[in-house]
Amino acid sequence: MNERGNQDWLTELADPASPEALADLRSILLRGLRAALSNKIDEDLETVTEDFAQDALLKILDDLESFRGESRFTAWAQKIAINVAFSEVRRRRWKDV
């Protein structure tokens, strides 16, 4: 995995996104999601985190222009991924209520 700065991430993920940058970001998101969700869900962790990572990647790519550079890009992306995951976990929990 390449060590990238904020501007490198933004450049490589701009349209058209670099497949290598997408793969690197996906692996970073998966690692963070596994850690955040390991004790919060009862389902298959690998499958669920894979779905959440894909949803988060789409949201991140749509919101690239909103990145202000006040933190590392990967921290910002992780925050989005965690928010996407927690929102979906919450929605699933209350679906049948």
Side-chain angles (χ1 to χ4, degrees):
M1 188 177 337
N2 236 355
E3 189 65 33
R4 296 177 177 88
N6 289 347
Q7 194 56 48
D8 297 330
W9 279 110
L10 293 173
T11 302
E12 292 186 39
L13 292 174
D15 198 27
S18 158
E20 183 181 314
L22 283 174
D24 289 348
L25 183 57
R26 183 181 152 281
S27 69
I28 291 168
L29 296 179
L30 283 171
R31 189 173 53 239
L33 285 168
R34 280 187 207 109
L37 297 174
S38 63
N39 63 350
K40 301 228 184 295
I41 59 172
D42 298 327
E43 303 169 48
D44 177 29
L45 187 61
E46 285 302 312
T47 303
V48 171
T49 54
E50 200 55 61
D51 291 341
F52 293 155
Q54 293 298 325
D55 291 343
L57 272 174
L58 292 173
K59 184 160 181 54
I60 290 164
L61 291 175
D62 284 344
D63 293 341
L64 275 179
E65 67 279 350
S66 69
F67 177 66
R68 296 186 308 240
E70 295 174 1
S71 64
R72 285 191 348 225
F73 178 82
T74 52
W76 176 78
Q78 282 284 22
K79 177 83 170 170
I80 290 173
I82 299 295
N83 286 340
V84 164
F86 283 174
S87 293
E88 184 58 30
V89 167
R90 211 173 11 258
R91 192 175 296 119
R92 289 179 185 181
R93 186 176 302 141
W94 290 96
K95 183 175 71 171
D96 295 329
V97 175

